[in-house]
Amino acid sequence: MRHLFLGLAALICAGLLASCGDGGSTKISGDITSATPITVPEGARAEIALLDISEEEPAKATIAETSLDVPPDGTPFAYELPYDPEKLEDGGIYTLAVRILVDGDVRFAATHHNATVTGKGTSILDVVIEPVAPSGPRLQ
């Protein structure tokens, strides 16, 4: 009976350790920052997307995306974007797109290619955003 109990305990521990591994925890994380500190009004949102820029079909270009509230004290602030590594192709070119919206208008964005490291585990990528020229009137 003791051997059965120890064997069962070993199986449970092995299962718990396996669930703590990299499976499902592939992500890109880092800080969104700017050349000079910025503050934003309450309600500002950051949109972050991992894009395949080697694809010609825009519908297939977005690998993963998320949005989050921008802290009122502005930059820098942390982000985390989980993604499925199975959606990545050998030889693909991937970038991280970041933009800050205030009342639906883009006010800041990453204007340079942010090459991402792909594979399992966590890739660390800090992204610099810059002010964007105001857009014209929005269509209703």
Side-chain angles (χ1 to χ4, degrees), residues 98-100 106-112 127-132:
V98 176
R99 59 189 201 159
I100 308 296
V106 178
R107 298 284 178 87
F108 300 90
T111 59
H112 296 88
V127 178
V128 178
I129 56 172
E130 299 176 12
V132 174

Side-chain angles (χ1 to χ4, degrees), residues 17-97:
L17 287 174
S19 69
C20 293
D22 279 344
S25 65
T26 304
K27 63 187 172 184
I28 302 169
S29 65
D31 288 331
I32 296 173
T33 188
S34 56
T36 59
I38 62 167
T39 57
V40 294
E42 189 173 326
R45 301 279 300 163
E47 292 183 346
I48 304 158
L50 175 59
L51 304 175
D52 181 348
I53 57 175
S54 58
E55 284 287 332
E56 292 182 21
E57 292 182 48
K60 293 183 177 181
T62 302
I63 304 299
E65 60 188 334
T66 192
S67 65
L68 55 110
D69 292 328
V70 177
D73 54 347
T75 59
F77 62 93
Y79 76 92
E80 191 171 278
L81 178 65
Y83 67 95
D84 179 0
E86 297 298 318
K87 291 185 177 181
L88 305 179
E89 295 183 20
D90 290 340
I93 303 169
Y94 303 96
T95 193
L96 195 69

